[in-house]
Each structure stands twice: as C-alpha cells, then as structure tokens.
Amino acid sequence: MKWRYFRQSLFFGVVRLSALIITIALLGIIAFLLVNGFKAISMDFFTLPPTDSMTKGGIMPAIVGTFYLTVGAIAVSLPLGVVSAIYLTEYAKQGRFIRIMRIGVNCLAGVPSVVFGLFGLGFFVVFLKFGSSILAGSLTLGILVLPTIIGAAEEALKAVPQTFREASLALGVSKWKTISRIVLPSALPGILTGAILGVGRAAGETAPIMFTAAAFFTAILPKSIFDEVMALPYHIYVLATAGTHIEQTRPLQYGTALVLIALVLGIDLIAIVLRSVVRRKKRW
Amino acid sequence: MIVRARNVDFYYGAFRALTDVTLDFEKRRVTALIGPSGCGKSTLLRLLNRMNDLIDGTRVEGEILFEGRNIYAPEVDPVEIRQRIGMVFQKPNPFPKSIFDNITFAPKLSGIRDRGEIETLVEGSLRQAVLWDEVKDILGKSAMNLSGGQQQRLCIARALAMKPDVLLMDEPTSALDPISTAKIEELIDSLKKRYTIIIVTHNMQQAARVSEYTGFFYLGKLIEFNATEKIFTNPAMKQTEDYITGRFG
C-alpha cells in the first residue's frame, strides 16, 4: 500500500517537474531578453534604420520587412492550405491515395527549414527569376507553414457536425454551396486560429528567408514585392555572427530578439484570444 | 402513387441492408415505416431522396420512381430530387444562423431574390409549421436559442420553404419531450393535406396515431404493408403481430 502510494507521488512529481521545466525555460528566455535587451528599446529603435555600420540606430526596416514577409506568407498559404484541406476532408474519397497525400503533408512539416530556404533559392529566386525578394521569401515561408495550415483547417472542417452538411444537402443545396455557405463559415475561426499560429512560426524563421528575401542591410523600405527587405530574425543573425562589431552591438541584438519574441508571442496571443472567444460562442 | 420502390436492394459494402423492397407511397397521405432497430426503415427513407449517396461504399439495386422517373438513373441530379423531396432528421439540426436565415438559406440559393417574396415565404413556412406566433418577434435571433421542439418545427418549416412534394421524417420526435411530440404530430396531421409524408418511427402509438399506411420492416425486408388500421388491429403476418404487441423489438 505504502509502496503504491510512493510510486504514485513519484510519478506525479515527475509530471509536475516536466511542466515546471518548460515554464521556467520560457520565462527564463523572456527574462534574459528583457534584462539584456530592454536598454536598447526606445522610440528611435522602432522608427530609425540602423546607422553607423549597423552599430547604432534602430531596426525599423527589419520590422517592416518581417511584417511584409508574414503577410505575404499568409496570403500564399491560407488560400492554398484551406483549399487543400477542403479537398482532403470533403471531396476526396478516403483511400490509399489520400493516405499517401496526408503522409506527404506530414513529411513536409518535418522538413528542416533550411531545406525550404534552399528550395526557395533554387526555385523561386533562380529558376523563376524572382530574385531575392519579398515575393520569393513569402512563397518560401508560405510553403513552410502550409502543413500547419492544412492540418489546422482539416481539424476545423472535421469538427463541423455532419448534421449541418446533411441538413443543407437535404434541402437540395449543392455540395459546393453546402461547403462554402455552411461548412466553411462554421470552420473559419478554427482555421484562422491555426493559420495565425502557423504564421507566428513563419515570422520567427531565419533559414527560409536567408537566401530568398532578406537583405544584410538596406535603409530604404521596399517599393514592390520584387525588392529585398531586412527581417528581424536575419538581422539578429547578422548582428550576432557576421558583423565586425559583434560585441559592440550586443544590446541591439538583444533588443531585436526582444522585439521579435514579443511579436511572435503577440501573434500567438491573438490566436488564443480568438479561439477562446469562438469557444464561448460555439453552441454545437 | 407519387413514390414507388421497385425491388430495391441496398448494400453497405458487403452488408445487405435491404432485400427486395417493393412499396408504393400514396400522394398526400402519411405512411409510417416501423420495425426494430437496424431493420432498414431509415435506410429506405434515406434512399428516397438520395441521402445515402453521402456514404462511401454503398450500392443500390432496383428502382425508386418519383413521379414515374427513376431517381437513380444516371442523368438525374440528386440536388433536384432533394429540392422536391425534403427531409427532417431525428435530431433537430438548425444551422447556426438566425431563424430567418435558416428558412431563407436554401430558397435564396435556388434563386429567390425578391425581398417581399422572401418575407412571405418565411411567414408562410413558419405558419405551416405552427411556429410563427412563437418566433415572429425574434426572427433575427439565433435558431440555437430555441427549445428542442421549436428547433424541430423550424427544421420542418425550413424544409417546407423549398415547397417540396414529399416530406421524409426520420424519427422526428425521438429527441423531444411528450408535449413537443404532440405538437409535431398535430403538425403532421395538418401537413398531409398538402404534402406526401413518409415517417420512420420507433413509437408504434405514433405510427397508429398519425399514419394512414404502415409498412413493417424486419431484417431488411418489408414484412407487411397495409392500411395502418389493418396493421394494428388485424396483421396478416405473425412477425408483425409479435412486434406490435411488444413481444420483440
């Protein structure tokens, strides 16, 4: 009896500890960045481009660049991902072909992001001659988050009760109208939540944009989708490894990292709030 | 005879759910399909407006004629069939939309645009489903706020708004309380003046109360079909008698 009780509390202890470690790790990272990067944060940091060989000034072009790349990635991956998910869940006959497609999508999610970067370089930048540009970077990031969005959209579509589909079809509404007018609106909040989380990931990626979109330095803002941009993750990488003033720019590095992580957490927070609002409204 | 089933066999994969069912449904009458769970009565009902098309790996043999035309002929569009043959389900399934939009959803898609016409349609359908007085002031509210019985009458109104000829009802009161059930039964009685109604029910008293004809199914076969009064007072088959007297099922 005692032994069993001991074993149980030991197990619960391990479980608690694991959860604790994760929380501490997250809080630790945030605290570390806050302590080291807070000094760098000022109004100028957000509004000025880097100056004096990137040892002073702000990160405005990188913020703008990351914004464009993120929006571009959504624009690419959301329609494509939702349409794919509709095909997989609503139209395709479940069978071997669909199983292979699903495995393919899951494998895509496991591909290292640097491979996406190389693919983007080879296909979008060189073969399609987009050059290093917002367009090429958005497409590459879009493909990177595609599996996340397909997965989220599939889950959201499957969560729509079958009775809604039956009700609509039984009224003599076509399958496509049933999907577009009944199923999709019901699944939309879930799809958006998944998409936002996926995009949060895209915003923080360095490798996929390194060869496809990111500029080492440019003080001017992009004028078209064929221009290069600075981006937050790549800017950190550059300051921390490739510059000639690595030690001097430490505060800027931490400051940029702080902005990036605040951005990603902010995006995730939007998704979480959206999800909780929808859950409260949901009645089926 | 508005709907006729001719030697219908139906398979879920290798499982044969219906065997050689031949049955006629008379226009503007209520026909009840009864039998124990799994006897195939709901399967037959869902065959009549091609709802079983939605299930992968099913197969139909024989013919189902609607106004003389085989609805399983290759050139027939199931969408058109379902516009003429409406359906009400076991569990009320309103859309997560307003009461008004629940009614207008399908008619709008079928091309009715005129505001006046739509409003007349909403009021007419809700009146026919005896729901108008309860909801006329809350048409803009979500249908999900209604009680189960009101939701089911809304689903009936929604089906009527497509002006169908036939209304299929799959155990429409099995999820409802006795008072709501009584209301739906009264409603069925008033609707049969204009519509052909085919109702699947587990409740034999209900079949006896609302229908003119009754078909008894057992193990995928139509055992007996006759006037309801005959079935319940003097059944020809021993199995029918055993079922309606509660000896099995």
Side-chain angles (χ1 to χ4, degrees), chain A residues 93-94 163-164 166-174 177 181-182 186 283-284, chain B residues 46 51 54 79 82-83 89 93 95-97 105-106 109 144-145 158-159 162:
Chain A
K93 242 196 168 98
Q94 307 300 321
T163 57
F164 287 7
E166 285 196 334
S168 174
L169 291 167
L171 288 167
V173 174
S174 68
K177 290 283 184 199
R181 300 296 179 89
I182 297 290
S186 306
R283 293 280 194 72
W284 63 83
Chain B
R46 293 169 61 94
M51 285 303 280
L54 310 185
V79 167
R82 293 182 198 131
Q83 288 180 352
F89 296 83
N93 56 358
F95 299 124
K97 295 171 177 282
F105 170 67
L109 287 177
M144 298 304 200
N145 292 331
R158 182 175 70 182
M162 287 304 284

Side-chain angles (χ1 to χ4, degrees), chain A residues 117-180:
Chain A
L118 288 171
F119 168 76
L121 174 67
F123 189 66
F124 299 123
V125 177
V126 178
F127 182 73
L128 294 179
K129 299 195 176 67
F130 291 158
S132 179
S133 61
I134 294 177
L135 181 63
S138 297
L139 286 165
T140 310
L141 284 177
I143 295 175
L144 175 85
V145 296
L146 204 50
T148 317
I149 292 186
I150 293 176
E154 272 200 83
E155 285 312 310
L157 289 169
K158 278 188 204 150
V160 176
Q162 190 61 25
T163 57
F164 287 7
R165 295 181 182 85
E166 285 196 334
S168 174
L169 291 167
L171 288 167
V173 174
S174 68
K175 186 164 183 174
W176 168 241
K177 290 283 184 199
T178 296
I179 291 167
S180 62

Side-chain angles (χ1 to χ4, degrees), chain A residues 159-232:
Chain A
V160 176
Q162 190 61 25
T163 57
F164 287 7
R165 295 181 182 85
E166 285 196 334
S168 174
L169 291 167
L171 288 167
V173 174
S174 68
K175 186 164 183 174
W176 168 241
K177 290 283 184 199
T178 296
I179 291 167
S180 62
R181 300 296 179 89
I182 297 290
V183 179
L184 213 46
S186 306
L188 200 59
I191 295 174
L192 286 182
T193 307
I196 295 170
L197 288 173
V199 153
R201 185 187 161 201
E205 284 287 348
T206 316
I209 53 168
M210 182 158 181
F211 319 120
T212 57
F216 185 83
F217 170 74
T218 161
I220 46 166
L221 295 178
K223 290 189 185 60
S224 83
I225 54 169
F226 294 103
D227 289 344
E228 296 194 287
V229 283
M230 292 182 75
L232 290 169

Side-chain angles (χ1 to χ4, degrees), chain A residues 193-267:
Chain A
T193 307
I196 295 170
L197 288 173
V199 153
R201 185 187 161 201
E205 284 287 348
T206 316
I209 53 168
M210 182 158 181
F211 319 120
T212 57
F216 185 83
F217 170 74
T218 161
I220 46 166
L221 295 178
K223 290 189 185 60
S224 83
I225 54 169
F226 294 103
D227 289 344
E228 296 194 287
V229 283
M230 292 182 75
L232 290 169
Y234 186 61
H235 188 57
I236 298 170
Y237 170 77
V238 165
L239 289 182
T241 64
T244 44
H245 316 283
I246 292 170
E247 279 311 314
Q248 224 180 317
T249 58
R250 281 286 184 233
L252 291 181
Q253 296 164 27
Y254 283 118
T256 312
L258 188 61
V259 170
L260 178 60
I261 210 163
L263 188 80
V264 172
L265 288 179
I267 291 174

Side-chain angles (χ1 to χ4, degrees), chain B residues 133-180:
Chain B
D133 290 331
E134 289 161 65
V135 302
K136 64 179 183 229
D137 299 321
I138 52 165
L139 292 176
K141 290 261 167 60
S142 169
M144 298 304 200
N145 292 331
L146 298 174
S147 74
Q150 289 174 324
Q151 288 189 4
Q152 193 63 302
R153 277 178 283 148
L154 177 64
C155 291
I156 294 173
R158 182 175 70 182
L160 297 179
M162 287 304 284
K163 301 193 176 7
D165 298 296
V166 180
L167 199 55
L168 308 176
M169 299 181 140
D170 190 0
E171 298 182 37
T173 62
S174 68
L176 303 181
D177 63 76
I179 294 171
S180 304

